[in-house]
Amino acid sequence: MIDSNPASILVVDDDVPITMFLDELLSDEGYNVHIAHRGGDVIAQVGRHAPDVVLLDVNLPDMSGYDVCRHLAVSRQTGDLPILLMSGIDRGPDAMAHGLNLGGFDFIVKPFHNDELIARVRVLVRLRRLQQRLVEQERMRVMVETAGAMCHELGQPLSAATGLVQLMLAEEALSPTQLADLQSLNEALQRMIEIVRNGQSVQHYATKPYLSETGTNILDLERAQGPARSASGA
């Protein structure tokens, strides 16, 4: 299950003390944390660790964090990856709007409060989990519909074959060997027809709108887990 695994967070910042602080803060919350200090390393890190959320500083030594954000946002592999932009210099609403327009999901200004950062990360992790669950649901729907279509295609020839075997069984001039062979064939065809019917029943059930055990839709957000931290941040 997706939700059973700890979320993975990629922190991108050239300030080593800040990355050490965020590593400890996020690890204490149960996340797997990975660190990058340069924008040029982000793509490789994303490919290696498949993070659920990226914390991305907008001021990096080799390239702008905004450029990194834009690159991730337009990529087919990372276009839906939640990015939390961080900045201690670009603090105004224009900078925030710029980052969000480039594909960022959220923006936080340094220095930040620990509880605010953790809360924002939790929201983005929940969003990522919902994305993944919807992708899994869609993949399962396609698989079930494909199987259902195959069952439908098999139904008619199986019915025709069964009818033919029934006619042959009605013949009186059958040898014991022929009769036994036709009866075995008829039993096999009946089992195949039952499998096809079961497949069609599964398709009908599995393509209904997904509801959780509590009856709520999959798009309903779960409650945030764990208490918010109250100390002030970096």
Side-chain angles (χ1 to χ4, degrees), residues 10 41-51 54 72 77-78 81:
L10 174 61
D41 298 331
V42 172
I43 301 302
Q45 290 272 36
V46 168
R48 185 178 304 119
H49 301 296
V54 176
L72 293 174
Q77 289 74 28
T78 58
L81 179 59

Side-chain angles (χ1 to χ4, degrees), residues 42-212:
V42 172
I43 301 302
Q45 290 272 36
V46 168
R48 185 178 304 119
H49 301 296
D52 295 291
V53 175
V54 176
L55 272 60
L56 176 61
D57 188 63
V58 301
N59 299 292
L60 298 171
D62 58 331
M63 60 190 301
S64 169
Y66 293 124
D67 291 336
V68 176
C69 180
R70 179 171 52 225
H71 183 84
L72 293 174
V74 300
S75 170
R76 181 178 179 182
Q77 289 74 28
T78 58
D80 59 353
L81 179 59
I83 302 171
L84 173 56
L85 293 166
M86 306 181 296
S87 178
I89 299 176
D90 298 339
R91 307 169 62 88
D94 290 343
M96 295 181 184
H98 179 60
L100 297 178
N101 287 333
L102 290 176
F105 281 56
D106 200 356
F107 197 108
I108 192 168
V109 173
K110 302 176 184 177
F112 46 74
H113 291 284
N114 294 359
D115 56 351
E116 180 186 3
L117 177 70
I118 292 299
R120 290 174 184 246
V121 169
R122 283 200 190 107
V123 169
L124 294 181
V125 168
R126 291 202 302 273
L127 174 62
R128 184 62 167 174
R129 295 305 198 210
L130 290 174
Q131 290 174 342
Q132 293 170 333
R133 287 153 89 187
L134 289 171
V135 168
E136 283 191 358
Q137 183 185 357
E138 177 64 15
R139 184 183 297 116
M140 181 60 67
R141 184 191 65 80
V142 171
M143 291 175 60
V144 169
E145 287 190 352
T146 301
M150 293 175 63
C151 289
H152 179 74
E153 292 296 324
L154 287 171
Q156 289 184 343
L158 283 175
S159 296
T162 300
L164 180 60
V165 169
Q166 294 291 339
L167 289 175
M168 295 174 68
L169 283 171
E171 295 289 336
E172 296 181 356
L174 294 174
S175 69
T177 300
Q178 290 174 327
L179 179 60
D181 290 343
L182 285 172
Q183 288 174 337
S184 297
L185 179 58
N186 184 57
E187 292 175 1
L189 288 171
Q190 293 302 322
R191 288 196 297 270
M192 294 176 68
I193 289 174
E194 185 65 23
I195 291 172
V196 167
R197 288 174 178 168
N198 290 338
Q200 291 172 330
S201 298
V202 169
Q203 180 194 17
H204 175 73
Y205 175 80
T207 53
K208 291 181 179 180
Y210 173 82
L211 294 177
S212 71

